[in-house]
Amino acid sequence: MYLIFGGRSGEHEVSLMSARNVLEAIDKSRYEVIPVGITREGRWIRSGDPLKALLEGVERGGGIPVALLADPGVRDLVPLASPGDAAPGVSAARPSGDPPAVFFPVLHGTYGEDGTIQGLLEMAGVPYVGCGVLASAVGMDKAVAKALFAQAGLPVVPHRVFLRPRWEREPGLVAAEAEAAFGYPCFVKPANLGSSVGVSKPKSRSELEGALAEAFRFDRKVLVEAAVDAREIEVAVLGNDDPVVSVPGEVVPGREFYDYEDKYVEDRARLLIPAPLEPAQAEEARRLALAAYRCIDGAGMARVDLFLERGSGRFYVNEVNTIPGFTRISMFPKLMEASGIPYPELVDRLIQLAIERWRDRQ
Ligand code: ADP
Ligand code: MG
Ligand code: MG
């Protein structure tokens, strides 16, 4: 199994932490693990100890993804074209028997969770853990995901989407429109990011203007949303056509909202597993999670994050994270554990699901 981590994303460090835990937990008598690190610049490291190199910030080796796919270990497994083939790169009939080695991208955010590496692996014809190209891309884009959820009848928080060119032309009008729609506080976030990077909760016009500028640093597409006074409920989904849905968990942020500091720097956010919910609420959370997963055509795994509004008791589907934090103490593995699937078995199941999906697509 090729474990791919690091990557060109604001969530590079998070990926390294997840990868270290997967490496520790995987059953090495059953799987040979070949670590593959990607630097922040996008260079791929295969030699030596890539995880150590990235953790220490040492960048050795290099090369490009294509070099990895031409690696003897992969080349033997991926039936690339033989020299005389008319269409180079197009595989000939696949030899029957064992599937090729599985790729496990433990990459969060851009170029990892967004369908790009999934596309590369799809083209190489190899099985890989997690969602396919479409689900990954949709899950990454909060604007597109919400449009699909709404279309499927799932509740989403009222929001508006703004593009950078318009904001650059008329920043005052964009701020005025957002202010008129949602007032204060509201939430401003880049469409394609995670780990709360670039997310803010402005409480005045000047803070809103700053929040828009900050979010547009990360993305050409930005969402402004109504702020919901809500509990944060998360549900883990595991599987392809017939997924397992975990018990719901709850994040109790240690700060004003569940921001980057709260997720990775401070240690005050609490995870309640299972979430203290009425049975009917827990059922509703699980129903919405499965519906959201199906809505984006999820496969392998995802963590579906919901808001449970205080007072009204209404749920909203906030987002689907297709490569959720994967350390032993992360919500996704803990929810699975609470639902009867311990970490080593979870890794094993994900690999089996990858192979199953690959077979289905042959
Ligand atoms: P990310 O993909 O970066 O996690 P989220 O949409 O989950 O982006 O936003 C990060 C956090 O910001 C959430 O976990 C929550 O604490 C807070 N938040 C985001 N949107 C809202 C909202 N509309 N109302 C209330 N809190 C929000
Ligand atoms: Mg989130
Ligand atoms: Mg996210």
Side-chain angles (χ1 to χ4, degrees), residues 19-266:
R20 178 192 276 169
N21 283 256
V22 173
L23 273 173
E24 282 165 8
I26 199 152
D27 181 351
K28 286 160 200 92
S29 67
R30 295 187 56 204
Y31 302 104
E32 186 200 353
V33 185
I34 302 166
V36 180
I38 304 178
T39 68
R40 279 168 212 285
E41 293 73 36
R43 289 191 302 132
W44 292 48
I45 306 179
R46 273 275 282 109
S47 57
D49 185 340
L51 182 57
K52 194 159 167 273
L54 291 185
L55 285 168
E56 292 171 358
V58 184
E59 287 158 25
R60 287 178 287 126
I64 52 170
V66 175
L68 173 87
L69 296 170
D71 183 283
V74 184
R75 201 179 48 217
D76 293 349
L77 300 164
V78 184
L80 294 174
S82 57
D85 282 356
V90 176
S91 56
R94 194 176 295 280
S96 55
D98 289 341
V102 172
F103 285 70
F104 190 163
V106 195
L107 297 163
H108 308 298
T110 342
Y111 304 115
E113 198 174 344
D114 61 356
T116 50
I117 195 166
Q118 289 76 13
L120 179 71
L121 297 171
E122 204 72 60
M123 288 179 75
V126 293
Y128 55 93
V129 167
C131 286
V133 174
L134 178 72
S136 303
V138 169
M140 189 81 252
D141 188 313
K142 292 177 166 49
V144 173
K146 279 182 208 283
L148 290 183
F149 295 150
Q151 204 265 337
L154 303 177
V156 295
V157 174
H159 62 282
R160 281 199 195 182
V161 180
F162 298 100
L163 298 180
R164 191 192 277 137
R166 174 167 175 229
W167 172 74
E168 280 171 348
R169 240 184 3 257
E170 41 191 37
L173 283 181
V174 167
E177 193 179 315
E179 183 182 76
F182 307 116
Y184 302 109
C186 58
F187 271 84
V188 179
K189 53 181 94 163
N192 294 277
L193 221 73
S195 292
S196 301
V197 176
V199 178
S200 21
K201 184 180 180 182
K203 299 190 182 68
S204 64
R205 177 63 174 262
S206 67
E207 282 184 19
L208 171 62
E209 285 167 4
L212 286 165
E214 174 71 1
F216 276 121
R217 277 180 50 213
F218 296 99
D219 204 331
R220 54 174 273 285
K221 185 155 58 165
V222 162
L223 281 78
V224 181
E225 297 183 7
V228 183
D229 177 21
R231 292 168 62 186
E232 303 200 37
I233 306 296
E234 305 189 344
V235 182
V237 183
L238 174 75
N240 294 339
D241 294 332
D242 192 16
V244 175
V245 182
S246 77
V247 295
E250 177 167 5
V251 178
V252 183
R255 292 163 61 92
E256 195 186 347
F257 69 94
Y258 198 30
D259 63 8
Y260 187 89
E261 298 283 308
D262 208 14
K263 284 176 181 172
Y264 306 113
V265 183
E266 294 182 356

